[in-house]
């Protein structure tokens, strides 16, 4: 048995007993017992406390804990569960279960329960509602993957709906779950498939275990157990159990625990994490006294500010049984997976009514105790409910009823409970913010990222039940669910004012929290209503209308809430609360729309609902305060009765949901057949139209007055309310409905009366009614006039909207399709937009659809994005004619932008700039009389008045907007008349007669002319140039209409060609004039441009803001500059050589540079003023071939030999901007001072770290941390003619070294004697070369040296350290190497393709490196040279020389060349130049590199026949290889193919040669050969000749055979070589493959899936909340969480930051998978987010995964990120991002 193998894992005391235990025997004993439950309980009572919860594990390590858990798990299985399995199955469990599964005919439901973060898919075409989701597997096998789908990540819980025919309109089954013939018929009882005895045993086992679990989980006593479970012997062992709540923060809990149970911070964090995750955790184990003491400390410490943390001291046996109860529930869940029959049995057992009658089944007990249980327990039983009841179609229904019955009580418990809803049985949506704050930000937040996203992934049960249409219908009919939910909701909002309306005063956090809870009910209501019924039963009608009654009660409580009164004189003292009311309105918006949709499907219901709503409204009106004075108004010969009411003085509220619902229903009625056939049957007449319009009108007037600035003293609260009133989230059920209500009212009233009431409410009546209304009085003060002007504009706009807004089906004769299309046209008229912007601008319905996709392609064309930016939609030109300047959803800003854009477009097309009203669609019959507003007397009077005012150019009594609106109204009237004429057969049925009316002269006493006459006189008014085109259009229309009228009346076809001719000449004239104007504009522009460029020439620091170029622009411009004038790159036809005595001397020219700070020119001279280049030095692992190597210890690291794995390098970059050293110092001091002052004022960071020497380049704001001094050549530009042989040079150098060595050994004062014996002639060890540089340059040399030293080693500056020069050489070599790699991989030529700034940087860096030895003590540099040389020419007196496999040869070359100068400086003999030495060093290093490559090459023998015989090169290669084999023997494999060897050697050595060419090019300023200025083949030869090398490199070895043989022998004999080759340590092979970022999958969901199965490595299999992928090495990390914090340099940092220190030397690139966001971090304090390389089909990224469109990898963008990394540009990007966005600076990046 299994127990035998695992005995050592069990606690030894129990061992023998456990070994003898037989599950089979126990089961048969139970079976024989008369009272099964007693037997089982007895067994549990005996074993459970002995197996589980035996106190804290003895070891404290997590491994120990894990072992302990495994032990428990095993014992549980063997001793407790195995007997139950035997009992249930009657046979060996493994085979029994297998048999069950085999016989099971599963239902076609998938039912996969989602993990947190797992991807879920919904089909936007086929899903019944957005809560229907598929798991990834089902999705991939379904038809929907070809449809428009949406992808989200699950919040955990919830299950896959595959196989549920109700959830999908089409394709309910995936490939795997398609029912086959053999699958069970859904009606069949699966229990019948099981053997009878098993059924019987099943019932008894399940009921015992389920009851046991329910009893234990709902058990409330702390040290007693239920009957029959008391342990045989009771010990004094207790747990101090800490419970979770949503009140205390992590920090509070951690702090308290440290105090109470005396644990370390680390343990406390671990406790707190577990409490947060599982809902409870024991924090102490021991006797009662011991635990009680901890409890009292915790309670005492947390009770001060709020209610104390919940702590219980529980007996260990109670805890053990609760623990086993959970295991038992999981076990049940597993067992029923094997058989649908067993599942049904469990369902029956669970729902069986208990002895207490109603609501007493075990499931009821669990549900009703839900709020009392801890999180871990809830999770497990919710899972079981999902696996059992919700997976069984029959019992799902019964459970649903039970759930609905308990609904009210559950919700009430939930309100009082302070746990998250996710784990509550009523849970609805994952509550991201545990304490929702009711702030403005939160609303904003809702607006932009709104919690809908979570709806897919909802974990809770109501979503599983209520969204199933058949279940929802049933629950509505049988359990009156709709009413229940609404009543429960209303009950919980208890704060009311005197009129019974909701009153939301300032909320405390606690209240806000509750309010947040209450809102979840709205979510449930939404689920119930989400799908409209296709068929209505009488019963459903009844219950729906009953629900509507309850809903109207709710709306009545909202009608008129939060009223405002205009504040005069003083500013408001305290901003009134407004967010709560708007949150409620926002949440209800979809519900209100859905209720209307329901009504629209049944005429009877609709009419009934209309009646009810009308009733409710009259009820509201009756409660309006009386005492409004009746008045009568007279204007233009009409008279109307109304009452006195002024928005500016009385109370007004923006919340009118009852009116608005009625408006919605009115529109629906208008769509019905009844409306067109029997309008008298409609219940219209019960409320008078003036009352209908009253409240919406007040609200609109309020908005107008706010715009006019009349409510300034009422503060932001009101401004916010007005904002949301018009906002896309609210407007459908607010602003839009108010306009509709005005339309409805106006269509039922005399238009003159309607307009007079409007005028009166706008408080403008006196202006238009006064006797001389056409001459506005001017005596009033200026503010008042301005106010009135705005009000008149707003009022005219409102009239335009009332007549013109006909794109709601029911108002106008349109389809919903047209409405969306019109919105899109108007959005795109402002500017081209991205898909997401359009989606945001359109209202969503309850299914999160905007209808955008259906129409977008008909009106717009799509433009794909480039490497940056996003795809944009552009309006097709044919739709421009639908543009309406007074579109009701435009804000004033939108309107003016759209106007500008449209006028510009028209000018570009050579058209006139009139923007006349578009042709509106016809009205529905119920709204038909609206058009009369356009031609009624009052409107004509208003038009006349405004036109009359406009005659006078100045005065400020009218505005152009006013005039423009009037012209628009006139235009609309003319269009209407034209339309009617076109549609009519004869003149008689045309009721519209505007053209006639406008010829009437103005009313007495005004003597001015008719409207038409006024228009004609205005046409040529010079001050109305802008409106000229529109007036011309109007007059043309008038002419056209007259013609039409004449034509129809005379019925003869009159040709109107004459008119057309006239028109044309007018047009030509217009055109000519426009052309003249355009020309003038062009000249003006050119003048301005010239001025601008003049100004730009004078850029200096003061106006650097102008100069904020992005990185790329900068690069582009500088590289362009490089192309134009490559300073030292003139290629020549001569064979160029860059090293050695034959090197071609670069034309020595004076180098003149300009300081960017003072603009002075300066020559670069050794003795001159120092000039510096802004530079940034950073550690780099970009080239690393070994990311596992630990960072070196800064104190004792010896950097002299770079390992070929290049695991850590120092990179230097520069923006190429040059300054005087003194100018820079002054600038940097100013920066420091500013920083000090800033720090005194406020805490926080800047984007750069001044203390670490960082600053921004004063010109381009590029992040810098040091400066490189510009240096001229130090050594003679003329190479000496003598070139000693290699042998001689080596010999002399040895002598020199010997002399140096003996000199070093002596005291310095002894050396005064002169030449050492044995030293070569002319070599003076005591010579002190003259320092070639001025003191200011020397100072800068030290500055840069120290920066490199500091950054490279992470140490404090120390000028005495011997390593200083080495680090400078190192950054020179590393920077060249990394640039060589970039050029290679981007297939750019080696020379001439670098941007200027890199070219300048390399050049100054190389020159600097070659001169830096002058600042260091000579002996130091000599010692370095001696050691470096000894690596190649072994020297017994030098110790610890690494073997050649552990040396990067390019670094060695650079170091030895640069350090040689110091030796050479002592040689006064002039017998050989420094160039000869360089060449010999190059030869020597090259040979060593060849050997290195041969040693590490792995030739796979391919046996290619080489017919052509071997070339000399191949022969030599083989010879060398065989020499090596002679030394090393079988460590090297045998290779016969010389061709292959030769090939791999050439490939391996190429990067070295290229880097060397770059190095010597910059060192000696030699022009490169023409061949190397272009990319492509043929480089080898030129490269070799440029380096003065034979093109057959092996000749180097061959020609110096005798000298080199012994060296090679000694290299190979180094013990390190053999060790490395035999597998100790990493072998680096050449050429080193360039590092790339990891491969990413094409489909983003693959990543999500990968991340969802990633568990936190620290907290035992827990899901990570923010899985984050390192793009450099591919590690997945658990970011942004307490569990994975580690200490780096004495500070706790998150997983990402910690990872950067091992993977990227402090710099990292990550992909935050859940957020779809790239994260860059540098060091502990800097970071930024970067757009991810994943795009949706609309060319947009989805940062935060809010939209859910499928995302695919955009390779170009990923390559761009990769390039940034390889160019070492990440730190710079972070700098720029932080500079541009200060909020980034405040983020605690180190916690990510
Ligand atoms: Zn599935
Ligand atoms: Zn499936
Ligand atoms: Zn589909
Ligand atoms: Zn200067
Ligand atoms: Zn710069
Ligand atoms: Zn973790
Ligand atoms: Zn990594």
């Amino acid at each position: 048995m299994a127990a035998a193998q695992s005995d050592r894992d069990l606690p030894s005391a129990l061992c023998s007993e456990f070994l003898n235990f037989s599950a089979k025997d126990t089961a048969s004993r139970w079976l024989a017992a008369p009272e099964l439950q007693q037997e089982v309980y007895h067994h549990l009572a005996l074993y459970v406390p002995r197996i589980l919860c035996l106190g804290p594990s003895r070891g404290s390590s997590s491994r120990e804990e894990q072992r302990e858990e495994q032990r428990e798990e095993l014992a549980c299985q063997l001793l407790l569960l195995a007997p139950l399995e035997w009992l249930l199955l009657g046979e060996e469990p493994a085979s029994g279960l297998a048999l069950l599964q085999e016989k099971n005919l599963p239902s076609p439901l998938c039912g996969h329960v989602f993990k947190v973060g797992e991807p879920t898919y919904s089909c936007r075409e086929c899903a019944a509602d957005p809560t229907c989701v598929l798991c990834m597997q089902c999705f991939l096998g379904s038809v929907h993957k070809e449809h428009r789908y949406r992808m989200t990540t699950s919040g955990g819980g919830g299950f896959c709906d595959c196989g549920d025919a109700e959830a999908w309109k089409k394709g309910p089954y995936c490939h795997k779950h398609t029912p086959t013939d053999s699958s069970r018929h859904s009606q069949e009882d699966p229990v019948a498939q099981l053997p009878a005895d098993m059924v019987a045993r099943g019932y008894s086992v399940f009921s015992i275990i389920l009851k046991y679990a329910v009893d234990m989980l709902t058990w409330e006593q702390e040290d007693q157990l239920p009957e029959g479970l008391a342990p045989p012997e009771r010990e004094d062992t207790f747990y101090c159990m800490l419970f979770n709540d949503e009140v205390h923060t992590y920090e509070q809990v951690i702090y308290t625990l440290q105090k109470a149970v005396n644990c370390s911070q680390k343990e406390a964090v671990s406790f707190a994490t577990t409490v947060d995750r599982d809902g409870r955790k024991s924090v102490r184990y021991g006797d009662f006294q011991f635990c009680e003491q901890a409890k009292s400390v915790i309670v005492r410490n947390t009770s001060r500010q709020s209610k104390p943390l919940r702590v219980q001291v529980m007996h260990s046996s109670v805890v053990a049984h609760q623990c086993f109860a959970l295991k038992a529930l999981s076990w049940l869940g597993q067992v029923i997976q094997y058989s649908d029959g067993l599942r049904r049995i469990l369902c029956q057992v669970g729902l069986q009514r208990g002895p207490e009658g109603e609501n007493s089944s075990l499931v009821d007990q669990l549900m009703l105790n839900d709020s009392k249980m801890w999180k871990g327990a809830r999770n497990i039983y919710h899972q079981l409910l999902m696996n059992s009841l919700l997976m069984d179609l029959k019992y799902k229904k019964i459970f649903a009823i039970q759930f609905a019955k308990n609904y009210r009580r559950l919700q009430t418990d939930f309100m009082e409970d302070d746990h998250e809803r996710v784990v509550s049985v009523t849970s609805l949506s994952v509550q991201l913010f545990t304490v929702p704050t009711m702030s403005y930000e939160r609303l904003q937040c809702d607006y932009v990222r709104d919690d809908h996203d979570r709806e897919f992934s909802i974990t809770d049960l109501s979503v599983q039940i209520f969204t199933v249409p058949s279940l929802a219908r049933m629950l509505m009919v049988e359990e009156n669910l709709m009413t229940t939910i609404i009543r429960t909701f209303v009950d919980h909002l208890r704060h009311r004012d005197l009129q019974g309306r909701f009153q939301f005063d300032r909320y405390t956090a606690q209240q806000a929290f509750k309010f947040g809870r209450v809102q979840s009910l709205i979510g449930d209501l939404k689920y119930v209503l989400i799908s409209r019924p296709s068929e209505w039963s009488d019963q459903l009608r009844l219950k729906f209308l009953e629900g509507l009654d309850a809903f109207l009660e709710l709306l009545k409580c909202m009608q008129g809430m939060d009223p405002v009164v205009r504040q005069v004189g003083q500013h408001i003292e305290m901003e009134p609360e407004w967010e709560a009311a708007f949150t409620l309105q926002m949440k209800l918006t979809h519900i209100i729309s859905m209720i209307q949709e329901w009504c629209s499907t049944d005429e009877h219901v609709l009419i009934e609902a209309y009646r009810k709503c009308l009733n409710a409204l009259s009820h509201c009106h009756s409660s309006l305060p009386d005492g409004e004075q009746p008045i009568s108004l007279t204007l233009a010969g009409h008279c109307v009765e109304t009452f006195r009411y002024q928005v500016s003085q009385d109370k007004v509220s923006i919340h009118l949901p009852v009116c608005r619902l009625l408006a919605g229903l009115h529109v629906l009625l208008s769509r019905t057949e009844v409306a067109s056939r029997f309008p008298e049957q409609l219940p219209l007449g019960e409320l008078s139209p003036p009352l209908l319009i009253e409240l919406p009108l007040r609200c609109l007037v309020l908005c107008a007055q706010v715009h006019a600035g009349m409510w300034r003293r009422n503060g932001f609260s009101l401004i916010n309310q007005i904002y949301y009133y018009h906002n896309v989230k609210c407007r459908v059920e607010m602003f839009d409905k108010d306009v509709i209500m005005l339309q409805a009212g106006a269509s039922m009233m005399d238009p003159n009366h309607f307009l007079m009431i409007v005028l009166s409410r706008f408080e403008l009546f006196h202006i238009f009614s006064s006797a001389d209304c056409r001459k506005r009085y001017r005596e009033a003060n200026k503010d008042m006039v301005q106010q009135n002007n705005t009000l008149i504009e707003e009022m005219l706009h409102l009239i335009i909207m009332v007549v013109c807004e006909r794109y709601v089906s029911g108002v106008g004769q349109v389809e919903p399709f047209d409405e969306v299309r019109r919105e899109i046209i108007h959005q795109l008229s402002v500017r081209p937009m991205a898909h997401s912007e359009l989606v945001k601008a359109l209202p969503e319905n309850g299914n999160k659809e905007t209808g955008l996709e259906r129409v977008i392609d008909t009106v717009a064309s799509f433009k794909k994005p480039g490497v940056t930016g996003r795809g944009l939609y552009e309006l097709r030109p044919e739709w421009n004619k639908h543009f309406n300047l007074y579109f009701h959803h435009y804000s004033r800003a939108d309107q003016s932008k759209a106007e500008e854009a449209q006028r510009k477009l028209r000018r570009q097309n050579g058209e006139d700039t009139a923007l006349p009203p578009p042709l509106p669609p016809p009205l529905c019959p119920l709204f038909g009389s609206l058009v009369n507003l356009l031609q009624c007397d009052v409107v004509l009077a208003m038009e006349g008045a405004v036109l009359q005012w406009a005659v006078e150019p100045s005065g400020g009594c009218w505005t152009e907007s006013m005039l423009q609106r009037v012209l628009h109204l006139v235009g609309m009237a003319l269009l209407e008349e034209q339309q009617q004429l076109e549609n009519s057969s004869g003149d008689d049925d045309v009721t519209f007669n505007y053209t006639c009316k406008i010829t009437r002269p103005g009313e007495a006493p005004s003597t001015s002319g008719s409207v038409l006459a006024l228009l004609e006189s205005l046409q040529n008014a010079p001050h109305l140039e802008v409106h000229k085109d529109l007036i011309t259009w109007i007059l043309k229309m008038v002419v056209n209409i007259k013609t039409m009228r004449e034509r129809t009346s005379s019925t003869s076809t009159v040709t109107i060609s004459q008119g057309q001719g006239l028109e044309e000449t007018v047009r030509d004239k217009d055109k000519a004039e426009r052309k003249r104007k355009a020309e003038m504009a062009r000249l003006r522009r050119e003048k301005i441009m010239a001025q601008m460029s003049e100004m730009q020439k004078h850029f200096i620091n003061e106006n650097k803001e102008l100069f904020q170029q992005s990185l790329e622009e900068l690069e582009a411009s500088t590289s362009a500059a490089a192309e134009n004038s490559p300073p030292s790159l003139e290629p020549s036809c001569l064979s160029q050589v860059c090293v050695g005595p034959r090197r071609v001397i670069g034309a020595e020219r004076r180098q003149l540079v300009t300081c960017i700070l003072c603009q002075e020119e300066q020559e670069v001279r050794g003795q001159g003023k120092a000039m510096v280049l802004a530079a940034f030095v950073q550690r780099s692992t970009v080239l690393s071939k070994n990311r596992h190597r630990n960072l070196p210890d800064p104190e004792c690291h010896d950097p002299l030999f770079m390992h070929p794995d290049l695991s850590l390098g120092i990179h230097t970059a520069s923006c190429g901007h040059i300054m005087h050293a003194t100018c820079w110092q002054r600038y940097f001091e100013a920066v420091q001072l500013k920083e000090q002052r800033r720090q005194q004022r406020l805490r926080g960071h800047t984007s750069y770290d001044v203390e670490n020497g960082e600053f921004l380049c004063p010109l381009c704001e590029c992040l810098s941390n040091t400066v490189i001094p510009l240096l001229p050549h130090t050594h003679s530009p003329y190479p000496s003619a003598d070139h000693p042989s290699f042998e001689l040079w080596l010999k002399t150098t040895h002598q020199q070294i010997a002399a140096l060595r003996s000199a070093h050994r002596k005291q310095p004062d002894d050396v005064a004697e002169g030449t050492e014996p044995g030293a070569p002639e002319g070599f003076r060890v005591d010579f002190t070369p003259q320092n070639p540089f001025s003191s200011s340059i020397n100072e800068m040399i030290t500055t840069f040296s120290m920066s490199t030293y500091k950054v490279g080693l992470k140490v404090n500056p120390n000028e005495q350290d011997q390593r200083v020069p080495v680090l400078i050489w190192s950054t020179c070599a590393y920077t060249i190497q990394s640039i060589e790699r970039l050029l290679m991989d981007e297939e750019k030529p080696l020379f001439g393709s670098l941007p200027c700034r890199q070219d300048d940087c390399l050049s100054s860096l190389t020159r600097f490196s070659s001169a830096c030895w002058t600042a260091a003590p000579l002996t130091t540099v000599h010692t370095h040279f001696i050691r470096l040389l000894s690596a190649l020419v072994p020297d017994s007196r030098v110790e610890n020389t690494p073997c050649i496999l552990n040396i990067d040869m390019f670094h060695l070359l650079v170091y030895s060349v640069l350090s040689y100068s110091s030796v050479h400086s002592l040689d006064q003999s002039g017998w050989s130049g420094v160039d000869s030495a360089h060449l010999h060093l190059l030869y020597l290093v090259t040979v060593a590199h060849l050997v290195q490559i041969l040693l590490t090459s792995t030739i796979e023998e391919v046996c290619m026949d080489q017919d052509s015989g071997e070339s000399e090169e191949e022969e030599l290669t083989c010879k060398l290889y065989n020499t090596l084999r002679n030394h090393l023997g079988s460590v090297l494999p045998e290779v016969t193919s010389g061709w292959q060897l030769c090939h791999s050697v050439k490939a391996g050595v190429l990067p070295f040669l290229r880097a060397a060419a770059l190095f010597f090019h910059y060192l000696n300023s030699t022009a490169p050969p023409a061949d190397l200025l272009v990319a492509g083949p043929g480089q080898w030869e030129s490269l070799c000749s440029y380096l003065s090398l034979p093109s057959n490199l092996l000749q180097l070895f061959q020609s110096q055979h005798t000298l080199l043989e012994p060296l090679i022998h000694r290299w190979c004999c180094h013990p390190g070589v053999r060790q490395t080759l035999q597998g100790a340590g990493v072998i680096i092979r050449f050429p080193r493959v360039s590092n790339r970022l990891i491969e990413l999958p094409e489909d983003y969901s693959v990543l999500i899936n990968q991340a969802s199965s990633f568990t936190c490595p620290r907290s035992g299999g827990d899901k990570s909340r923010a899985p984050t992928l390192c793009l450099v090495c591919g590690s997945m990390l658990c970011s942004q969480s307490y569990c994975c914090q580690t200490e780096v340099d004495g500070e706790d940092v998150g997983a990402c930051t910690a990872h950067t220190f091992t993977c990227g030397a402090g710099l990292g690139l990550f992909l935050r998978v859940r957020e779809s966001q790239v994260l860059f971090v540098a060091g502990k304090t800097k970071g930024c987010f970067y757009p991810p390389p994943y795009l949706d089909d609309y060319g947009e990224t989805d940062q935060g995964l809010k939209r859910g469109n499928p995302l695919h990898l955009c390779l170009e963008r990923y390559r761009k990120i990769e390039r940034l990394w390889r160019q070492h540009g990440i730190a710079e990007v972070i700098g720029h991002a932080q500079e541009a966005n200060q909020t980034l600076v405040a983020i605690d990046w180190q916690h990510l």
Side-chain angles (χ1 to χ4, degrees), residues 1155-1160 1171 1219-1220 1222-1224:
C1155 168
I1156 55 164
L1157 287 171
C1158 70
Q1159 303 295 308
E1160 255 168 49
M1171 295 301 286
M1219 297 163 271
H1220 283 109
T1222 46
C1223 290
W1224 169 72

Side-chain angles (χ1 to χ4, degrees), residues 387-418:
N387 277 334
S388 55
L389 292 163
L390 294 179
M391 290 287 286
D392 188 297
L393 291 176
K394 182 174 165 199
Y395 278 88
K396 190 174 186 175
K397 210 165 153 182
I398 301 175
F399 175 63
I401 293 176
Q402 226 33 53
F403 184 76
K405 280 208 169 101
N406 290 330
Y407 186 82
R408 205 174 170 120
R409 184 162 151 210
L410 289 179
Q411 287 294 353
T412 308
D413 286 351
F414 168 66
M415 303 299 161
E416 307 306 326
D417 174 23
D418 52 9

Side-chain angles (χ1 to χ4, degrees), residues 296-307:
S296 62
V297 177
I298 295 175
V299 169
R300 193 161 6 100
N301 266 303
T302 53
S303 55
R304 271 171 225 138
Q305 312 93 334
S306 50
K307 75 176 186 190

